[in-house]
Amino acid sequence: MNNVGWLISLFLISFGSNVFASEVVLITEDPIHHLLKDSNDIVYIQTKQEIYEFSGEAPLILQYTSEYTIDFSIAISKGNLLVTHENGFTYIENNQQVYLDSLPELITSVKLHGATVLLGTAGKGLFSFDLNTRIVKSIPAVNAGFVNDILVGEQLIWIAHDNGISLLNKASLTLFQKSNLSALISKLFQASDNVIGVGEFGKLYKIQNDGHYRGQTREMVHPNMHFSSNNDDVYGISPEAYYKLSSDLSFKLVAKGMYHHILTHKNVLFLVHGNKLSRKDITQEIHSEGLSNFSLYAENDSILWSGQEGRIVCLKNGIPVKTVMLQSKQRDVFVSSLLVDDKNIIAGTLGDGLYVFDKGGRQLQHILQKESFNKNNIIQLKERDSLMWVAYLNGLLTLNPDDLSIERDFKELLGNNYLFNCLPISRNTFFIGTSGKGILNYNNGKLSSLLDNHSIYTLAQRGDRVFAGTEKNGVFCIRLKTNTAQQISTSNKVLNIVPLESGIVLATDYENLYMDDALNYTYALPGLGLNGMNINSVTENSASIYLGYENGILKIEKSKLSQLGNMHFNLDKPLLFEEKVKDKQSEFKFNENTFTFNFQLYNYYNPENNHYKYRLLGVDSTWYVTGQKSIQYFKLPSGKYQFQVSAGTHAGFEPNLIKAYSFVINKPFWKAIWFLVLSSALLLLLVFYGFRRREKRLLEKERLRSARTRAEIIQLKSQLDPHFLFNSLNSLAEIIEEDTAAASKSLLELSDLYRSILKLKEVDIISLKADVELANQYFRIHQLRFEDLIHLDINVPHPESKSIVSMSCQILIENAIKHNIINRKNKLFVSIYMEDDYLVVKNNKSGSNTAGNSEGIGLKNLEQRFKLLTKKNIRIVNSKETFIVKLPLIDG
């Protein structure tokens, strides 16, 4: 079967007469067969083959589609249902069919009892189905017969069958007792303090909660009626109207109309006609429609007095039963305030003072009518601490209630301002609400003020708190101990305030509101077409509040006001992309990052006032207000989150009741701590390995370079050894020819010198001091030959602090002797000295000694050694007269 097409429509259907209008909230293509509630008071709509969830507003949510025609159904909780059909019954869990079974007989009734479903049959008695074990059992206490109905009461389970009514123990499902009512009962309903049985031939039976019947019965207004109960109120429908059933089994017409199904849901009544679902407010009720009411006084739970123009009307259970006329000489006199006790009726008027009547309506007194204009305009009457408090236009009187004599007149308090309301706290303490001077607080002769420059329309007290309604600045709560005021509502023109045990009622000139006990949530009561409320036109008894209007009286049941805040609020499992997350799943991969959160406040009273506040901790801590029921987040980054949502019935509510879903989006593995630690460790190892390898390569390269350099130096030194020896022997040969003794000495010097050179053979860098001494030793050998023809001047301070390539000075001295002509005319002068960071070896040029020319092995060898060992070059300055070589020195 195709899904039912749903059309949502909001309009009013007026039934005429003096009854409420019912609001059509739903129109379907297929007829509505049944309405049901689950354990959270969520409403479901059953058609021929479908069951839908109904939140009080569009859209409907399909819960289950059956392949069979549905006979009966029960809603266990959200997504969990049980339906019966011609083949038995089907159990649906989380919107999925999980169990199908059949019974020996056709199922005639079904009820939920904890985790057990009770199934009545057409001949085989009662069966139970355990939702946890999914085991079906026959109940021995009722194992035969035709079961008409099942009622799960507070203490017992009632079974209406063809043999009477059996009462079972709730825990064991064993027989407790049988009712003494012998009539055949087809339906059972729980009332406030008894059970109602619907019997044959259009009769109702009132049965005590223990099953005892005392003979109370009444004919129904129609033999074919259907009933619904919310455990307090029982409503019934006939083919032409619907009624409220009173405790004495009398029927009170609520409205005319054709309905075939009814469901009572807390403070709302749902009515079905074909494919139309209507909703009716049962918290409020209109009395005396059309009567103009200026003041009200509730004498008790059934008697209400109404002050009107020129008269006082007594109403009993909403029906006028007596009228007391004012014998006034003035026209258009309005009864502005009333007080009623066991004997008398006291009426304050606008312009004609104070009237006193007995209960029969006979006038006893008429006072204050001849007073000034201000004093004969009575605004309000109150009783407190054995005094009658009379608030007039710009002052306050206290009267002795026995003879109405004036005890005190507070006439100098307001000046040019007018009085709207008075609130006596004790004999010597009271508050006055004024037309522009705020609140005046009189306390044992001392006068103080609050909320200056405000117009205070109404004052009311509950415990140590006083509530004040203003014209333009909302409602304030005043603490008596501290005498401080705090705004609790922004609603303006609050004409009357009624404090309750839990919450307060605010009556404005355009709507009525209920605030919960914590003063956080405000619930608007639907308007019923009444208008023209007056200040102080409010009263209450133990059960109800009455508000007076120009065209009727509005009755509000106190017990139902607290239920306004008793609404189920649900946050569904979120959608990950377009699929629901798994049960208990709260951890997701880094790319599972798009979520949709759906939530719903099940408000069947005034769903148009639903508001939500939400936030996603981990992104933002700010609460955002929305009228939508779905919030989506796209591509959330990795992190910890908690989605929070709260619901209320006005945009400014405080988010106290919070639903939350916590979840974690994990980082990708390359951002996870373990991966970062591991990759960092690997990176460090790679870097360390790279450095070690590079260091090893550099060391190897350095070793190779050093080896190569060492080889080159050794090769260079090996060149020096024969070169030095060759030059020394040449000099020695010349000496031998000339002077044998000198040659002998020179040979010894040469031997010592060569011994020193052999010691330095493996040394590349030596101290400057050692090198200079070696050069000086070498010079002395040649001086034996040349005597005074060669001269050496050494000026090197602190030579021990510097180092130099070995044999540097000796090679340069050798080079100077070899490449110059030395004779009496050309003497050789060699100087060794320091200049900055260089050792300078300087000699004069006495002409070229062609015989001594060679390849210049010594100087070239020295240049190469300096490059290899110091990475520096020697400097050579070769001028016409001098030859200078600058050798880089090494520190240390």
Side-chain angles (χ1 to χ4, degrees):
M1 181 180 178
N2 294 330
N3 287 346
V4 176
W6 300 93
L7 302 173
I8 302 301
S9 175
L10 297 176
F11 56 90
L12 295 179
I13 295 179
S14 296
F15 293 95
S17 183
N18 60 343
V19 295
F20 298 134
S22 295
E23 181 185 18
V24 175
V25 294
L26 193 69
I27 301 177
T28 71
E29 288 185 355
D30 288 349
I32 300 172
H33 286 204
H34 191 57
L35 298 175
L36 49 150
K37 296 186 296 184
D38 69 9
S39 56
N40 291 314
D41 285 324
I42 297 175
V43 175
Y44 298 82
I45 295 174
Q46 173 195 322
T47 61
K48 186 177 181 180
Q49 289 180 272
E50 289 87 20
I51 296 179
Y52 291 83
E53 177 190 302
F54 176 50
S55 66
E57 56 183 339
L60 297 177
I61 301 173
L62 179 64
Q63 297 291 303
Y64 175 67
T65 300
S66 174
E67 58 182 307
Y68 310 106
T69 298
I70 300 173
D71 293 330
F72 301 99
S73 59
I74 57 170
I76 300 162
S77 60
K78 190 174 176 66
N80 300 321
L81 307 162
L82 188 141
V83 300
T84 71
H85 40 74
E86 59 184 5
N87 289 340
F89 69 91
T90 300
Y91 176 45
I92 300 98
E93 189 174 65
N94 294 324
N95 302 112
Q96 300 294 323
Q97 179 177 314
V98 296
Y99 188 84
L100 175 65
D101 201 354
S102 60
L103 295 181
E105 285 284 354
L106 183 69
I107 298 173
T108 57
S109 59
V110 57
K111 285 294 188 327
L112 180 66
H113 167 46
T116 301
V117 176
L118 301 176
L119 301 156
T121 66
K124 295 294 183 179
L126 185 68
F127 290 80
S128 69
F129 171 63
D130 191 299
L131 296 173
N132 296 321
T133 64
R134 297 174 188 171
I135 296 175
V136 179
K137 293 181 180 179
S138 175
I139 305 301
V142 189
N143 60 3
F146 192 108
V147 176
N148 295 314
D149 197 17
I150 304 168
L151 172 65
V152 178
E154 292 184 4
Q155 304 296 329
L156 300 167
I157 296 175
W158 298 56
I159 311 296
H161 49 88
D162 51 6
N163 293 322
I165 299 176
S166 296
L167 281 73
L168 309 184
N169 290 296
K170 293 183 76 171
S172 63
L173 297 181
T174 56
L175 182 66
F176 174 72
Q177 69 177 22
K178 285 193 173 183
S179 173
N180 63 330
L181 178 63
S182 59
L184 181 64
I185 300 298
S186 61
K187 291 292 180 181
L188 294 165
F189 297 95
Q190 181 71 58
S192 58
D193 56 359
N194 52 70
V195 173
I196 306 297
V198 180
E200 295 179 288
F201 314 114
K203 285 190 176 181
L204 288 182
Y205 299 89
K206 187 175 182 180
I207 312 168
Q208 291 183 332
N209 285 325
D210 60 359
H212 187 70
Y213 171 63
R214 293 186 175 180
Q216 286 183 276
T217 185
R218 183 180 289 267
E219 295 285 337
M220 295 189 294
V221 294
H222 192 280
N224 184 20
M225 293 189 73
H226 299 281
F227 294 88
S228 177
S229 167
N230 60 4
N231 294 337
D232 290 322
D233 302 314
V234 178
Y235 288 85
I237 54 173
S238 71
E240 298 178 348
Y242 63 98
Y243 304 82
K244 183 176 181 180
L245 187 65
S246 300
S247 58
D248 62 354
L249 300 185
S250 62
F251 288 88
K252 179 182 179 182
L253 177 66
V254 179
K256 293 181 179 181
M258 298 178 62
Y259 300 103
H260 68 267
H261 188 69
I262 185 172
L263 175 68
T264 308
H265 185 279
K266 295 182 180 178
N267 39 26
V268 173
L269 189 66
F270 286 109
L271 301 157
V272 178
H273 174 63
N275 63 344
K276 293 180 180 178
L277 177 66
S278 299
R279 177 178 62 202
K280 178 193 175 300
D281 175 16
I282 58 175
T283 300
Q284 304 177 101
E285 181 180 352
I286 296 176
H287 283 200
S288 307
E289 187 174 10
L291 293 179
S292 182
N293 303 275
F294 293 92
S295 58
L296 295 173
Y297 188 88
E299 184 177 354
N300 51 47
D301 286 350
S302 60
I303 302 298
L304 179 68
W305 297 84
S306 169
Q308 302 173 9
E309 182 181 357
R311 64 179 182 173
I312 303 165
V313 177
C314 177
L315 299 99
K316 185 174 183 179
N317 296 321
I319 300 173
V321 294
K322 183 186 296 184
T323 299
V324 177
M325 302 300 297
L326 271 64
Q327 303 299 320
S328 177
K329 297 179 181 180
Q330 301 183 27
R331 297 179 59 186
D332 303 328
V333 174
F334 299 98
V335 178
S336 58
S337 190
L338 285 170
L339 282 179
V340 181
D341 56 26
D342 293 339
K343 298 179 180 180
N344 298 324
I345 306 163
I346 304 168
T349 67
L350 293 179
D352 201 22
L354 198 66
Y355 285 84
V356 180
F357 301 91
D358 63 18
K359 282 296 189 68
R362 183 169 60 92
Q363 181 173 312
L364 301 178
Q365 282 183 275
H366 185 198
I367 63 173
L368 303 180
Q369 74 274 22
K370 296 181 181 181
E371 296 288 338
S372 65
F373 170 77
N374 287 335
K375 197 167 290 186
N376 64 23
N377 277 279
I378 308 300
I379 304 300
Q380 190 180 40
L381 298 175
K382 290 283 184 76
E383 288 181 308
R384 185 67 182 256
D385 289 346
S386 301
L387 289 175
M388 181 184 298
W389 300 72
V390 180
Y392 57 89
L393 203 56
N394 71 339
L396 179 65
L397 297 173
T398 56
L399 306 181
N400 185 322
D402 295 330
D403 57 6
L404 299 185
S405 60
I406 297 175
E407 290 198 354
R408 298 186 68 179
D409 185 358
F410 301 92
K411 58 184 178 180
E412 304 294 336
L413 299 179
L414 277 74
N416 295 325
N417 290 276
Y418 292 112
L419 182 149
F420 283 156
N421 196 282
C422 83
L423 178 64
I425 305 298
S426 65
R427 294 182 69 90
N428 295 305
T429 303
F430 58 83
F431 289 90
I432 292 177
T434 71
S435 61
K437 203 174 181 179
I439 299 173
L440 297 180
N441 179 8
Y442 182 89
N443 188 358
N444 293 312
K446 296 180 180 180
L447 191 65
S448 60
S449 63
L450 283 170
L451 306 178
D452 294 342
N453 303 318
H454 290 63
S455 290
I456 309 299
Y457 282 167
T458 183
L459 294 167
Q461 181 186 7
R462 186 181 73 183
D464 66 340
R465 291 185 289 183
V466 171
F467 301 96
T470 69
E471 179 185 17
K472 299 178 180 179
N473 300 94
V475 179
F476 291 82
C477 176
I478 302 168
R479 297 283 182 177
L480 292 177
K481 292 181 179 180
T482 60
N483 203 35
T484 56
Q486 178 185 3
Q487 188 182 43
I488 60 171
S489 172
T490 57
S491 298
N492 292 326
K493 292 189 177 179
V494 177
L495 303 179
N496 292 289
I497 296 176
V498 183
L500 306 172
E501 288 185 6
S502 59
I504 60 173
V505 173
L506 309 177
T508 75
D509 65 342
Y510 60 94
E511 67 176 345
N512 297 324
L513 306 168
Y514 169 73
M515 293 188 71
D516 68 350
D517 194 44
L519 306 179
N520 286 328
Y521 290 93
T522 302
Y523 306 92
L525 306 181
L528 299 176
L530 299 176
N531 56 67
M533 178 184 287
N534 291 290
I535 297 176
N536 304 323
S537 58
V538 61
T539 189
E540 62 178 310
N541 55 31
S542 62
S544 303
I545 298 168
Y546 298 89
L547 300 173
Y549 293 83
E550 289 182 357
N551 58 339
I553 299 172
L554 181 64
K555 177 185 177 182
I556 302 174
E557 291 193 33
K558 292 180 178 181
S559 62
K560 290 186 172 61
L561 286 174
S562 59
Q563 296 181 18
L564 292 175
N566 188 20
M567 293 180 285
H568 183 64
F569 177 45
N570 184 69
L571 171 63
D572 288 342
K573 295 175 184 176
L575 298 178
L576 175 59
F577 297 105
E578 295 182 357
E579 299 293 331
K580 274 192 176 183
V581 303
K582 299 176 182 178
D583 288 341
K584 298 181 180 180
Q585 183 180 2
S586 60
E587 193 168 341
F588 302 91
K589 298 177 182 178
F590 73 95
N591 56 353
E592 296 176 331
N593 54 13
T594 296
F595 294 86
T596 302
F597 296 94
N598 296 307
F599 38 85
Q600 177 69 57
L601 178 65
Y602 293 87
N603 180 3
Y604 297 102
Y605 192 69
N606 49 1
E608 63 277 3
N609 291 336
N610 285 358
H611 288 83
Y612 304 93
K613 289 186 178 182
Y614 69 94
R615 63 183 178 182
L616 183 61
L617 298 178
V619 173
D620 190 358
S621 60
T622 303
W623 286 102
Y624 296 96
V625 180
T626 181
Q628 302 298 316
K629 298 177 288 184
S630 181
I631 297 296
Q632 193 169 34
Y633 294 94
F634 297 93
K635 295 183 178 180
L636 290 171
S638 300
K640 292 183 178 180
Y641 300 96
Q642 186 180 69
F643 177 76
Q644 295 182 344
V645 62
S646 187
T649 54
H650 66 103
F653 77 94
E654 290 294 326
N656 292 323
L657 177 62
I658 297 173
K659 298 285 185 177
Y661 177 78
S662 299
F663 61 103
V664 176
I665 300 176
N666 289 322
K667 295 179 181 179
F669 71 89
W670 60 84
K671 290 184 178 180
I673 294 177
W674 66 266
F675 182 82
L676 292 175
V677 171
L678 181 60
S679 58
S680 298
L682 289 174
L683 180 61
L684 288 173
L685 286 174
L686 288 173
V687 170
F688 178 74
Y689 175 76
F691 274 116
R692 288 295 301 272
R693 190 172 180 181
R694 180 174 179 274
E695 183 181 14
K696 188 176 181 181
R697 285 200 305 267
L698 290 175
L699 289 173
E700 185 66 25
K701 187 176 181 181
E702 182 64 24
R703 281 197 296 270
L704 291 174
R705 188 186 66 78
S706 298
R708 187 167 55 249
T709 301
R710 184 66 186 166
E712 291 175 358
I713 292 172
I714 292 172
Q715 184 181 9
L716 291 171
K717 284 187 175 181
S718 66
Q719 292 175 356
L720 284 176
D721 287 346
H723 176 77
F724 169 78
L725 186 59
F726 175 78
N727 288 338
S728 299
L729 290 177
N730 276 342
S731 297
L732 185 62
E734 292 181 8
I735 296 174
I736 292 172
E737 293 179 359
E738 298 175 3
D739 189 345
T740 304
S744 178
K745 186 178 180 182
S746 178
L747 184 59
L748 293 174
E749 290 280 354
L750 179 62
S751 176
D752 291 338
L753 175 63
Y754 204 75
R755 189 180 295 110
S756 298
I757 292 173
L758 288 176
K759 289 181 180 179
L760 298 176
K761 188 175 181 66
E762 300 300 324
V763 181
D764 296 324
I765 304 296
I766 64 173
S767 68
L768 180 58
K769 180 179 180 181
D771 197 75
V772 170
E773 287 178 351
L774 182 65
N776 194 28
Q777 189 177 6
Y778 175 76
F779 183 81
R780 287 199 303 271
I781 294 173
H782 286 280
Q783 205 171 28
L784 291 173
R785 175 188 170 191
F786 292 105
E787 297 180 348
D788 61 345
L789 298 180
I790 60 174
H791 297 273
L792 177 63
D793 180 30
I794 298 175
N795 184 17
V796 180
H798 309 294
E800 66 276 0
S801 64
K802 300 289 183 180
S803 298
I804 198 168
V805 175
S806 62
M807 298 178 64
S808 297
C809 295
Q810 179 267 326
I811 291 173
L812 293 177
I813 293 173
E814 180 184 358
N815 191 67
I817 293 172
K818 180 179 177 182
H819 292 285
N820 283 286
I821 298 173
I822 303 173
N823 52 38
R824 290 293 175 184
K825 291 182 180 181
N826 297 293
K827 293 183 179 182
L828 178 66
F829 295 91
V830 179
S831 301
I832 299 175
Y833 58 92
M834 293 179 66
E835 185 180 277
D836 296 328
D837 290 329
Y838 289 87
L839 181 70
V840 180
V841 180
K842 176 182 177 183
N843 65 272
N844 64 314
K845 294 174 71 174
S846 57
S848 174
N849 185 0
T850 55
N853 280 346
S854 69
E855 297 178 356
I857 293 175
L859 187 58
K860 291 180 179 179
N861 185 292
L862 186 63
E863 285 184 300
Q864 293 178 22
R865 288 170 66 206
F866 264 92
K867 285 182 181 179
L868 291 172
L869 295 172
T870 68
K871 310 299 182 186
K872 296 180 181 179
N873 294 321
I874 65 176
R875 297 180 182 180
I876 299 174
V877 181
N878 188 6
S879 65
K880 186 177 180 180
E881 296 181 354
T882 61
F883 183 81
I884 302 172
V885 178
K886 296 183 178 181
L887 305 173
L889 291 173
I890 302 171
D891 292 332

